[in-house]
Amino acid sequence: ETGVTQTPRHLVMGMTNKKSLKCEQHLGHNAMYWYKQSAKKPLELMFVYNFKEQTENNSVPSRFSPECPNSSHLFLHLHTLQPEDSALYLCASSQGVEVGETQYFGPGTRLLVL
Amino acid sequence: RKEVEQDPGPFNVPEGATVAFNCTYSNSASQSFFWYRQDCRKEPKLLMSVYSSGNEDGRFTAQLNRASQYISLLIRDSKLSDSATYLCVVNERNFNKFYFGSGTKLNVKP
């Protein structure tokens, strides 16, 4: 299944590094999301984009910076992260942001911050 | 208070057993409900939506109880391949914002 792809799949970075996560959806959807999944915790919504416009920022620290150049691509730029930011970062997309629209997830990027 | 609460399990059941999970949600205005399945180290995948009248998809049955604010998932004739974590998802009114439970882990044993 290649509806939503994410790269890299695994990433190890130091606290002073700058890196970017990439997400691409091939489903013709208009909405894209970033989620964080930490061990033993539920998925947490980070950002929502609808038609390239950010519609939700769930009080995410500024060391995470999203970018959505078009409806098919979503980036998450990372800088000066902390070890507690180590988690699985999942991208999802849906046709729109109406209530009840199914969200389709990418395989995630497993991030380790040293 | 958590938006969505689930028993983390694990539920250890033999093949062929029937198993049921419940999930409670705190926002009475929630409008849409889903069960997602997540395999170890994989992404969540939609298992089924949950409709007010209840719905069935093969061996899986989902029910919604708005009065008590819970949803349930019943799995009949469990297969080894059903072993996974089952995530309860609740959608806020007016916006496609998902609230996830922490998940219930199911282990189906031979």
Side-chain angles (χ1 to χ4, degrees), chain B residues 1-7 21-28 30 33 35 63-73 87-90 99-102 104:
Chain B
R1 183 181 178 185
K2 292 182 183 177
E3 295 281 347
V4 181
E5 299 216 42
Q6 294 183 251
D7 180 344
F21 312 133
N22 281 342
C23 158
T24 58
Y25 60 95
S26 60
N27 187 347
S28 61
S30 298
F33 309 88
W35 284 102
Q63 297 276 357
L64 168 63
N65 185 319
R66 285 190 184 273
S68 301
Q69 292 182 209
Y70 77 83
I71 67 174
S72 64
L73 177 68
L87 304 173
C88 173
V89 184
V90 174
Y99 289 95
F100 282 81
S102 298
T104 297

Side-chain angles (χ1 to χ4, degrees), chain B residues 33-48:
Chain B
F33 309 88
F34 306 87
W35 284 102
Y36 273 72
R37 169 195 169 129
Q38 187 171 25
D39 292 286
C40 188
R41 305 185 76 80
K42 295 287 185 72
E43 73 273 23
K45 293 186 178 179
L46 178 69
L47 179 65
M48 59 196 305

Side-chain angles (χ1 to χ4, degrees), chain A residues 42-62:
Chain A
L43 272 79
E44 301 170 62
L45 181 65
M46 300 174 72
F47 301 103
V48 182
Y49 278 82
N50 190 32
F51 289 99
K52 303 188 299 178
E53 299 296 319
Q54 187 180 123
T55 57
E56 183 87 10
N57 177 337
N58 211 27
S59 303
V60 180
S62 59

Side-chain angles (χ1 to χ4, degrees), chain B residues 78-91:
Chain B
S78 299
K79 311 290 185 192
L80 295 177
S81 57
D82 293 334
S83 297
T85 296
Y86 290 83
L87 304 173
C88 173
V89 184
V90 174
N91 204 174

Side-chain angles (χ1 to χ4, degrees), chain A residues 1 33 35 37 42-43 45 55-56 58 94 97-103 105-107 110, chain B residues 31-32 34 36 38 41 43-46 87 91-98 100-102:
Chain A
E1 297 177 18
Y33 311 77
Y35 285 88
Q37 188 174 32
L43 272 79
L45 181 65
T55 57
E56 183 87 10
N58 211 27
S94 62
V97 291
E98 297 298 316
V99 168
E101 302 241 25
T102 300
Q103 293 184 19
F105 286 83
R110 196 163 293 277
Chain B
Q31 287 209 314
S32 297
F34 306 87
Y36 273 72
Q38 187 171 25
R41 305 185 76 80
E43 73 273 23
K45 293 186 178 179
L46 178 69
L87 304 173
N91 204 174
E92 260 195 356
R93 162 177 282 181
N94 296 329
F95 189 72
N96 205 26
K97 185 171 180 176
F98 276 18
F100 282 81
S102 298

